[in-house]
Amino acid sequence: MKKAFITGITGQDGYYLTKLLIEKDYEVHGTIRRSSTFNTSRIDGLISQYSSDKLLNLYYSDLLDSSSLSSLIQKIQPDEVYNLAAQSHVAVSFKNPYYSTSTSTAGVISLLEVVKNIEKDVKFYQASSSEMYGGVSTDSLNEESLLEPKSPYAAGKVFAYNMTKIYRESYKKFCVNGILFNHESPLRGETFVTRKISRAVGRIHNNIQSKLTLGNLEAFRDWGFAGDYVEGMWLMMQHDKPDDWVLATGETHSVKEFCKLAFDVVGLDWENYVLTDEKYQRPNEVNHLLGDPSKAKKELGWEPKTSFKKLVENMVESDCKLAEREKVLIDNNLLKPSWENPTTT
Ligand code: NAP
Ligand code: GDD
């Protein structure tokens, strides 16, 4: 049985990757952070299903805690390490640049050093990002395109991307970069734009929210489904030689289009509900991202299976169900009616 070690297992991709690997007969080991509230809600179902058989095993750690990452990997002796952990919100990285970049940079060095020094051949996956391209041109972006980071988040990711290549080339280690374009799901964090929209549509449809306030409606993203993208991560780790691959859909849509489609699902006109506010604008915006996944298609046989329309429908339908449950709690005075959370970004 193969063993995988995952940082960031409690995140969106952590859930989908863990599920996929367990279905493929892996034993999964993942790091969680100590938090004053429970932070495992995405993987609670997997924990109750698989932890008693030791197919899923969790440990406290942090990207900044080099010693715990190193001793965990030495103890577990995984076959594959997936570095998914990050402060992954671009707007927040402008507010917390030191933390956002130091976690991305220190974390990757700690992990690569163990991969370099451990006796066993351990494969390493780095969660690189389309954000590294900077989104200046409207061209389709591939593995050869120029990296022009526009945020502290992206600068940290460029560092980690380069270190992954450096360890691959210098020490002949199996280190890969998955350069993933935006991927979403019903489990997407609620402060990313797609989920912020689908949550609002669910609530507005259930009469527990009246408006949705966003920032730049003219930004374009190449949005796919996270469940499809974790398959690509795994395929990269099974390839006969390590390399870097772009995962994307090859289609791009604006935030405005996402809004229109999402409100259409419940038969509402988005223009009656969506407002904009400067506070959601970023100091430096990535205007346009469009990916070219042809290398992944040719070499890995990977293709996204979920259309943009289906992705939006799935997210809105899931959030309508969530809002229905919230409404019952509100009607019974067990929850306060929703207002915009002041920490929303
Ligand atoms: P996510 O939902 O924000 O999850 C991030 C994970 O990292 C969470 O488990 C989080 O733990 C953990 N984490 C944050 N700071 C940490 C620290 N200092 N030490 C240890 N763990 C820490 O992100 P995602 O969407 O699943 O994305 C996974 C990775 O892919 C990230 O590296 C992201 O930057 C990258 N990426 C994402 C996309 C995308 O569109 N989703 C595209 C390209 C690249 P808590 O649960 O405790 O917060
Ligand atoms: N979050 C957010 N909130 N974004 C908004 C809003 C809003 O109210 N209004 C407009 N936007 C715009 C942002 O300015 C950006 O251009 C676009 O919507 C997408 O923003 P996010 O959903 O926050 O994602 P992101 O593209 O910045 O970053 C995500 O994708 C990257 C891959 O390209 C994250 O998952 C990163 O971790 C990932 O690397």
Side-chain angles (χ1 to χ4, degrees):
M1 181 178 261
K2 278 194 190 169
K3 289 185 195 175
F5 181 80
I6 304 177
T7 69
I9 197 167
T10 55
Q12 169 189 259
D13 292 4
Y15 165 80
Y16 285 103
L17 181 64
T18 301
K19 186 166 174 293
L20 177 83
L21 293 178
I22 291 179
E23 282 163 8
K24 290 189 180 294
D25 281 336
Y26 280 63
E27 185 181 290
V28 174
H29 299 258
T31 65
I32 59 168
R33 300 195 290 172
R34 197 274 157 183
S35 155
S36 65
T37 52
F38 291 112
N39 59 358
T40 55
S41 61
R42 288 189 181 97
I43 57 167
D44 280 345
L46 298 177
I47 294 173
S48 56
Q49 213 176 337
Y50 299 114
S51 62
S52 57
D53 295 341
K54 305 262 185 254
L55 292 177
L56 176 56
N57 307 274
L58 300 174
Y59 313 85
Y60 284 110
S61 185
D62 192 290
L63 285 175
L64 292 174
D65 190 343
S66 184
S67 61
S68 75
L69 290 172
S70 164
S71 54
L72 282 171
I73 294 176
Q74 289 288 357
K75 182 174 145 223
I76 295 161
Q77 297 274 315
D79 301 281
E80 297 170 8
V81 171
Y82 293 85
N83 184 27
L84 305 186
Q87 188 302 92
S88 73
H89 203 288
V90 175
V92 172
S93 81
F94 285 101
K95 298 180 200 301
N96 292 333
Y98 182 82
Y99 176 72
S100 302
T101 51
S102 47
T103 46
S104 290
T105 55
V108 77
I109 299 172
S110 304
L111 293 166
L112 285 167
E113 273 294 293
V114 202
V115 168
K116 179 186 116 195
N117 293 325
I118 198 167
E119 293 264 317
K120 184 172 180 171
D121 279 334
V122 177
K123 297 181 179 181
F124 178 78
Y125 174 91
Q126 170 58 26
S128 289
S129 166
S130 53
E131 192 69 17
M132 301 189 303
Y133 294 118
V136 180
S137 89
T138 54
D139 294 345
S140 177
L141 299 157
N142 66 22
E143 295 77 6
E144 308 305 322
S145 304
L146 193 63
L147 304 181
E148 294 182 278
K150 294 275 178 297
S151 63
Y153 167 82
K157 284 287 183 185
V158 171
F159 176 90
Y161 163 86
N162 281 323
M163 288 300 277
T164 301
K165 282 179 82 140
I166 287 167
Y167 274 63
R168 177 167 80 220
E169 288 160 12
S170 311
Y171 308 115
K172 311 289 172 255
K173 292 291 170 187
F174 194 106
C175 299
V176 308
N177 280 295
I179 308 170
L180 272 51
F181 283 65
N182 298 50
H183 45 280
E184 320 294 311
S185 73
L187 295 181
R188 183 58 143 152
E190 294 189 28
T191 60
F192 296 96
V193 76
T194 56
R195 186 79 199 286
K196 187 171 163 184
I197 297 167
S198 63
R199 270 300 259 148
V201 171
R203 285 176 166 156
I204 290 169
H205 182 58
N206 279 281
N207 299 314
I208 52 177
Q209 184 171 332
S210 51
K211 295 284 177 196
L212 163 65
T213 312
L214 297 172
N216 179 13
L217 302 181
E218 304 302 332
F220 280 77
R221 289 291 181 275
D222 180 328
W223 279 298
F225 169 53
D228 294 343
Y229 285 51
V230 298
E231 294 233 22
M233 293 178 189
W234 178 78
L235 286 169
M236 290 178 205
M237 297 287 259
Q238 314 314 310
H239 196 60
D240 52 8
K241 62 178 189 15
D243 203 344
D244 307 322
W245 288 274
V246 159
L247 299 185
T249 67
E251 270 183 38
T252 190
H253 300 274
S254 66
V255 172
K256 196 188 277 180
E257 279 176 78
F258 196 105
C259 285
K260 179 175 180 337
L261 212 50
F263 279 87
D264 279 353
V265 175
V266 293
L268 295 174
D269 181 351
W270 73 279
E271 291 189 89
N272 293 332
Y273 301 94
V274 177
L275 309 171
T276 56
D277 191 310
E278 273 286 301
K279 73 179 174 182
Y280 296 120
Q281 300 276 346
R282 295 169 183 188
N284 203 358
E285 175 67 299
V286 168
N287 289 312
H288 196 280
L289 290 175
L290 167 63
D292 169 8
S294 25
K295 182 176 169 186
K297 184 174 178 188
K298 184 162 170 262
E299 296 183 358
L300 307 174
W302 179 85
E303 266 187 297
K305 298 180 192 126
T306 313
S307 69
F308 177 64
K309 187 163 181 279
K310 191 75 201 151
L311 171 70
V312 178
E313 282 168 7
N314 288 346
M315 290 179 73
V316 170
E317 280 160 15
S318 168
D319 278 328
C320 282
K321 288 190 191 127
L322 184 56
E324 272 167 35
R325 293 198 292 275
E326 278 181 312
K327 182 155 172 43
V328 174
L329 296 175
I330 289 168
D331 290 347
N332 288 290
N333 289 323
L334 295 167
L335 188 71
K336 286 200 177 135
S338 128
W339 66 93
E340 191 168 83
N341 187 316
T343 64
T344 300
T345 40

